[in-house]
């Protein structure tokens, strides 16, 4: 090894040790407050607070009476925040008293696994680095028949976004699309998609439902959609959400789940906001490229699912408005979501709230579920919030990856049965 290589090696070791899974950005003294509005008035009040404090990080926005609002507040902002959010009767509790402690605990608990990656020793119960996930995708596709890698789009920083394409039958023309990791810090989402891929492929031929799902549809499953953000959330900032567009003059990052082209334009115009919508619809390569890719399937595209965390929701359009705007497929979207939820619930007894994303959660323009339904014309278009309901939030322990995947796998089988019955 030459001197330059040696120095480079030493540098990499130092960087890896220093910043490893802990991140450079620190959250010492940051608190997450939990506020549960008990009346319509309190809910309106909290919505007003969220509108006024646009650049605060609401881990969970105000949705409905009785459902908690989680908001992370820096030490410098805490007094002001509590003062301006307070009103008689409203209870403000501290859920996380020091976010950095939680990050450190998570890093310490993360299971160490071997460096060499192939499908045989890949650890499905871990939050893996993107490099490991990529190596796994390569290996998994080359070691399973009918599985290949397909490029879906490109990221701002030039990474190719790949999905695994599972095509067991040459005659299948219908396509089912699933993506994870659009929001960087929601680590259980990529982990769930990876586990689903493995469960689908390894149960093909032995489980009748999975076999017919894979025989009748081409499945395209993208574990990490926002690669730049995911990497950044591992190395630099555990709480990163957006992509890594530097946004000339201001904070970095566009919220990819506000940048799709259906009813784009009502989310934040502030570059520092967590829901910054970008300069125009599809301004981000992640969004524009994946639209072109998905459009190429035309009416063969029959399913669009975007996995997030946390909160346990299974939601259908419309998401852009808080009003219940009629659309012809709502009853079917709702009926299928309820069946899916029953299957999820039967595995580990976890409830997922089923509803229409805008009215039942909160309005968000340029979101994925509206893109799937409104722009791509896919009837079964869902946005899903995985575990948990607010015990660990984004920092769901790795021991919960498997049960999450198991319940979602059961839900997906119910969904798959419907797809086969309706379209095959
Ligand atoms: O706000 C989002 O993008 C999603 N929640 S998250 O906490 N994972 O960021 C939810 C989007 C669902 N759609 C609407 N509420 N309209
Ligand atoms: Zn999300």
């Amino acid at each position: 090894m030459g001197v330059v290589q040696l120095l480079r090696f030493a540098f990499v070791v130092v960087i890896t040790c220093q910043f490893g899974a802990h991140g450079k950005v620190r959250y010492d003294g940051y608190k997450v407050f939990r506020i549960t509005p008990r009346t319509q008035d309190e809910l309106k009040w909290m919505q007003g607070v969220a509108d006024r404090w646009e650049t605060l990080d609401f881990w969970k926005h105000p949705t409905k009476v009785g459902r908690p609002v989680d908001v992370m507040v820096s030490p410098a902002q805490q007094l002001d925040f509590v003062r301006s959010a307070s009103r008689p009767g409203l209870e403000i509790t501290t859920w996380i008293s020091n976010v950095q402690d939680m990050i450190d605990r998570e890093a310490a608990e993360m299971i160490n696994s071997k460096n060499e990656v192939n499908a045989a020793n890949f650890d499905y119960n871990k939050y893996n680095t993107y490099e490991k996930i990529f190596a796994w995708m390569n290996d998994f596709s080359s070691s399973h028949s009918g599985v290949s890698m397909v490029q879906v789009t490109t990221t701002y920083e030039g990474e190719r976004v790949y999905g695994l394409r599972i095509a067991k039958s040459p005659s299948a023309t219908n396509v089912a699309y699933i993506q994870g990791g659009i929001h960087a810090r929601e680590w259980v989402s990529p982990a769930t998609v990876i586990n689903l891929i493995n469960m689908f492929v390894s149960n093909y031929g032995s489980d009748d439902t999975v076999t017919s799902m894979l025989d009748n549809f081409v499945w395209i499953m993208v574990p990490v959609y926002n690669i730049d953000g995911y990497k950044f959330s591992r190395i630099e900032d555990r709480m990163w959400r957006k992509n890594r567009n530097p946004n000339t003059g201001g904070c970095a990052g566009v919220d990819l789940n506000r940048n799709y082209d259906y009813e784009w334009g009502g989310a934040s115009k502030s570059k520092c906001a967590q829901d910054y919508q970008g300069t125009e619809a599809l301004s981000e390569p992640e969004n524009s490229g994946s639209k072109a890719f998905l459009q190429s399937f035309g009416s063969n595209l029959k399913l669009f699912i975007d996995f997030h965390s946390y909160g346990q929701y299974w939601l259908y359009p419309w998401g852009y408005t808080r009003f219940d705007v009629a659309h012809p497929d709502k009853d079917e979207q709702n009926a299928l979501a309820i069946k899916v939820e029953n299957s999820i619930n039967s595995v580990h007894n976890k409830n997922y709230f089923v509803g229409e994303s805008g009215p039942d959660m909160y309005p968000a323009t340029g979101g994925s579920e509206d893109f799937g339904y409104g722009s791509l014309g896919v009837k079964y278009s869902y946005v899903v919030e995985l575990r948990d309901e607010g015990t660990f939030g984004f920092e769901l322990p790795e021991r919960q990856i498997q049960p999450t995947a198991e319940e979602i796998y059961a839900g997906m089988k119910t969904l798959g049965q419907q797809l086969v019955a309706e379209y095959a």
Side-chain angles (χ1 to χ4, degrees):
M1 199 186 275
V3 176
V4 174
Q5 279 137 311
L6 196 69
L7 281 175
R8 193 175 299 147
F9 174 73
F11 180 72
V12 168
V13 169
V14 168
I15 291 292
T16 317
C17 297
Q18 197 168 356
F19 303 124
H22 298 264
K24 235 182 198 173
V25 175
R26 295 192 58 89
Y27 287 90
D28 298 294
Y30 279 64
K31 290 187 192 305
V32 180
F33 294 113
R34 176 163 291 167
I35 304 157
T36 308
R38 299 274 163 214
T39 62
Q40 274 302 332
D41 262 12
E42 288 186 356
L43 178 66
K44 284 234 169 66
W45 170 263
M46 280 315 299
Q47 278 158 348
V49 172
D51 290 346
R52 276 202 309 281
W53 290 72
E54 221 199 0
T55 54
L56 263 194
D57 190 353
F58 278 79
W59 289 11
K60 249 187 184 181
H61 274 266
T63 53
K64 296 261 148 194
V65 169
R67 289 206 216 124
V69 175
D70 296 337
V71 54
M72 178 167 75
V73 188
S74 72
Q77 290 174 309
Q78 278 158 19
L79 252 181
D80 255 9
F81 175 79
V82 171
R83 249 188 232 134
S84 84
S86 294
R87 62 175 252 163
L90 186 71
E91 215 184 301
I92 302 178
T93 58
T94 302
W95 164 34
I96 301 172
S97 54
N98 185 353
V99 173
Q100 188 60 43
D101 284 351
M102 198 146 172
I103 293 173
D104 292 345
R105 214 171 308 131
E106 177 188 58
E109 276 171 14
M110 277 169 57
I111 309 157
N112 285 318
S113 67
K114 311 152 204 99
N115 282 329
E116 192 206 344
V117 177
N118 58 54
N121 75 9
F122 181 77
D123 195 338
Y124 287 92
N125 295 313
K126 210 181 136 46
Y127 295 126
N128 289 287
T129 60
Y130 181 68
E131 288 69 23
K132 285 194 178 175
I133 294 172
F134 179 76
W136 170 80
M137 288 172 83
N138 244 313
D139 203 68
F140 191 88
S141 56
S142 58
S143 55
H144 292 90
S145 70
V147 183
S148 56
M149 283 180 63
V150 58
Q151 190 183 344
V152 170
T153 185
T154 309
T155 68
Y156 183 89
E157 292 176 345
E159 283 276 356
R160 292 168 182 208
V161 179
Y162 287 103
L164 285 186
R165 180 177 183 276
I166 309 169
K168 289 290 186 181
S169 156
S171 60
T173 48
N174 284 330
V175 176
Y177 174 81
I178 292 175
Q179 69 182 25
I182 190 171
H183 285 149
R185 62 192 174 186
E186 300 166 9
W187 290 359
V188 72
S189 162
T192 301
V193 175
I194 290 166
N195 275 278
L196 280 181
I197 293 169
N198 185 40
M199 288 161 153
F200 281 5
V201 171
S202 46
N203 290 316
Y204 178 77
S206 58
D207 182 290
D208 288 351
T209 305
V210 171
T211 307
S212 74
M213 284 162 65
L214 269 51
D215 277 339
N216 287 291
F217 285 80
V218 172
W219 291 78
I220 296 173
M221 302 169 73
V222 180
V224 190
Y225 182 75
N226 174 12
I227 300 170
D228 304 344
Y230 184 75
K231 285 181 167 178
F232 197 75
S233 77
R234 299 199 50 111
I235 300 163
E236 300 272 339
D237 182 350
R238 176 65 186 87
M239 291 305 155
W240 193 258
R241 164 183 168 100
K242 303 185 280 181
N243 79 347
R244 289 297 303 155
N245 185 335
N247 292 335
T248 45
C251 306
V254 171
D255 184 352
L256 300 179
N257 204 29
R258 299 292 182 275
N259 192 245
Y260 287 111
D261 61 350
Y262 196 81
E263 290 282 337
W264 178 88
S268 184
K269 294 177 176 57
S270 159
K271 291 164 183 166
C272 296
Q274 293 289 359
D275 66 337
Y276 174 51
Q277 61 186 359
T279 51
E280 59 182 324
L282 305 180
S283 57
E284 304 314 292
E286 292 86 346
N287 301 77
S288 59
S290 63
K291 176 169 184 183
F293 172 80
L294 291 169
Q295 251 181 344
S296 73
F297 301 111
S299 59
N300 288 334
L301 187 63
K302 301 297 188 199
L303 177 72
F304 178 96
I305 299 184
D306 183 30
F307 282 113
H308 293 245
S309 75
Y310 57 93
Q312 296 173 202
Y313 285 84
W314 197 286
L315 302 165
Y316 49 86
W318 295 116
Y320 70 89
T321 168
R322 72 173 76 257
F323 301 109
D324 194 356
V325 176
H327 66 256
D329 301 306
K330 200 172 287 190
D331 289 348
E332 283 177 83
Q333 292 162 343
N334 178 64
L336 180 54
I338 289 171
K339 285 193 210 162
V340 168
E341 201 279 332
N342 284 334
S343 303
I344 293 175
N345 180 266
S346 69
V347 180
H348 295 296
N349 224 1
K350 295 290 180 205
N351 296 312
Y352 282 61
F353 177 91
V354 170
E356 184 178 353
S357 52
D360 292 324
M361 193 188 206
Y362 48 77
T365 56
S368 56
E369 72 280 31
D370 288 2
F371 164 70
Y373 184 57
S375 299
L376 298 173
V378 179
K379 179 170 73 179
Y380 294 124
S381 174
Y382 294 110
V383 58
V384 178
E385 299 284 353
L386 298 165
R387 287 191 190 192
D388 55 15
E389 286 185 295
T391 304
F392 296 101
F394 300 121
E395 311 200 81
L396 192 73
E398 288 178 323
R399 63 178 179 277
Q400 290 205 41
I401 293 173
Q402 212 42 234
T404 304
E406 285 163 5
E407 66 202 16
I408 297 301
Y409 171 66
M412 287 306 302
K413 280 174 55 174
T414 298
L415 201 154
Q417 265 171 334
Q418 175 78 25
L419 293 183
V420 171
E422 205 170 320
Y423 299 119

